[in-house]
Amino acid sequence: MSNLEAAEPVVPCGRSGALGPCLELIAAREASIGPGQGVLRALPRRARRMVGPWCFLDRFDASRLGRPPAMDVPPHPHIGLQTVTWLFGGEVLHRDSLGSSQRIRPGELNLMTAGRGIAHSEESSGAGAAALGGLQLWTALPGGEAGVAPLFDHHGDLPRWTAGGAEAIVLMGQSGGAVSPARTFSPVVGAEIRLRSQRAAIPLDPSFEHAIYVVEGSLTIEGARVAPDVLAYLGLGRGEIEVAGDAGAIAFLLGGEPFPEEILMWWNFVARTDAEMDSARRDWAAGARFGTVGGYPGRRLEAPPYSPHPRAAPR
Ligand code: MN
């Protein structure tokens, strides 16, 4: 027996972004967030820099986090973005320069709005380090709000929907009639999706571009098999997407209105100009702007050298 499904046509999305429905599969690549701490990075990729305001997507799990399987990211700064931390297993302790100290567990959202500048540390904590796994995503703040005062939010009770063979937890924006309480800055959606049968229809906003990142199990979308740690970019103009797969498969839906600005990303910063990058780097080196993360047992990270940014290829 042979599987012919993948031979069905797939509508390519084109380098400049699709104005309508399409399908493009992007495998996450290996990256590192520190010594012995491997991750899989699905955004940004050369083939696709952003999906709506989403500009960064890392998958971490115990199998790539060394021995013992642990996350340990010393204090480091961010500007111009929000970090969205979402776990499937284990526990992470977040501390930041606003004085926050917050444990995050599966089903809870840690949302840090960096704005003009914040510093944080991230460590696995509690029992069950062997089960640690999750995603960290970033959204770019629109230029007019990139310099807002930093904020940290923890949401332990998020809205859900169950319909059409799937159930979802809505982290950001709205999906399936459920509206997340999380603070957002541009039209966006982020949701965990679990299949409850072998076929499901996931509601989408036709004015958004979307992607589905497969976490566990595999999905079939428009005839293409989408393996774990592959991002299926879907383009714009869809009111729903039908997926097939194993009951119990887990995926993450991300989307939003196409981001109207070109951004620069370097280290942990999102900005528009080299001058903003250089200024943030100098402020971190000088101990200015970002404050101090209390309680972390170790030294903070130093920024790598900055050299003017090669401009990203047009989207
Ligand atoms: Mn960070």
Side-chain angles (χ1 to χ4, degrees):
M1 197 68 85
S2 134
N3 174 20
L4 298 177
E5 285 185 322
E8 289 181 16
V10 169
V11 179
C13 298
R15 290 189 67 81
S16 59
L19 298 176
C22 64
L23 180 63
E24 179 179 276
L25 304 185
I26 302 167
R29 68 176 177 85
E30 304 261 352
S32 173
I33 56 170
Q37 299 177 75
V39 294
L40 289 169
R41 184 158 297 159
L43 287 176
R45 301 301 310 277
R46 200 178 303 272
R48 188 146 304 281
R49 311 295 298 182
M50 300 180 79
V51 178
W54 300 99
C55 60
F56 184 91
L57 192 171
D58 266 4
R59 163 93 184 270
F60 51 89
D61 68 29
S63 68
R64 293 186 180 81
L65 287 172
R67 294 283 176 272
M71 172 182 289
D72 182 8
V73 186
H76 59 280
H78 288 281
I79 64 169
L81 56 80
Q82 293 182 294
T83 65
V84 170
T85 308
W86 185 252
L87 298 186
F88 301 107
E91 183 180 291
V92 169
L93 173 62
H94 160 98
R95 299 189 232 244
D96 68 39
S97 52
L98 300 175
S100 316
S101 176
Q102 177 67 55
R103 287 177 201 282
I104 175 175
R105 298 183 179 91
E108 303 174 351
L109 169 65
N110 260 22
L111 178 63
M112 186 178 78
T113 302
R116 67 171 177 260
I118 195 169
H120 72 151
S121 63
E122 296 154 290
E123 305 158 73
S124 44
S125 63
L132 180 64
L135 303 177
Q136 185 170 103
L137 303 99
W138 301 351
T139 64
L141 296 176
E145 293 172 290
V148 297
L151 292 162
F152 177 76
D153 298 301
H154 179 81
H155 295 283
D157 187 19
L158 292 162
R160 296 165 184 253
W161 57 256
T162 302
E167 64 180 36
I169 308 175
V170 182
L171 289 63
M172 301 280 281
Q174 54 181 301
S175 168
V179 182
S180 166
R183 182 180 172 94
T184 59
F185 291 83
S186 59
V188 65
V189 65
E192 180 192 289
I193 307 282
R194 288 181 190 247
L195 260 59
R196 287 298 173 237
S197 65
Q198 293 183 337
R199 289 196 170 272
I202 299 165
L204 302 177
D205 181 333
S207 70
F208 284 9
E209 58 179 347
H210 292 91
I212 290 176
Y213 184 81
V214 177
V215 174
E216 202 171 293
S218 76
L219 300 182
T220 300
I221 301 177
E222 294 180 340
R225 179 174 177 272
V226 188
D229 300 309
V230 172
L231 184 75
Y233 177 75
L234 303 172
L236 284 110
R238 296 179 184 271
E240 67 171 22
I241 186 75
E242 290 186 7
V243 302
D246 305 326
I250 303 172
F252 193 91
L253 170 70
L254 56 155
E257 285 185 3
F259 202 68
E261 304 164 63
E262 195 168 312
I263 58 168
L264 299 180
M265 291 180 68
W266 173 77
W267 196 36
N268 300 310
F269 302 152
V270 168
R272 273 79 186 157
T273 66
D274 288 320
E276 287 175 84
M277 291 291 190
D278 191 49
S279 156
R281 185 187 186 284
R282 285 167 187 272
D283 284 349
W284 178 247
R289 189 196 310 202
F290 297 97
T292 301
V293 179
Y296 179 80
R299 297 166 64 91
R300 63 182 212 154
L301 293 180
E302 296 305 325
Y306 183 67
S307 54
H309 222 82
R311 284 275 157 183
R315 293 186 62 216

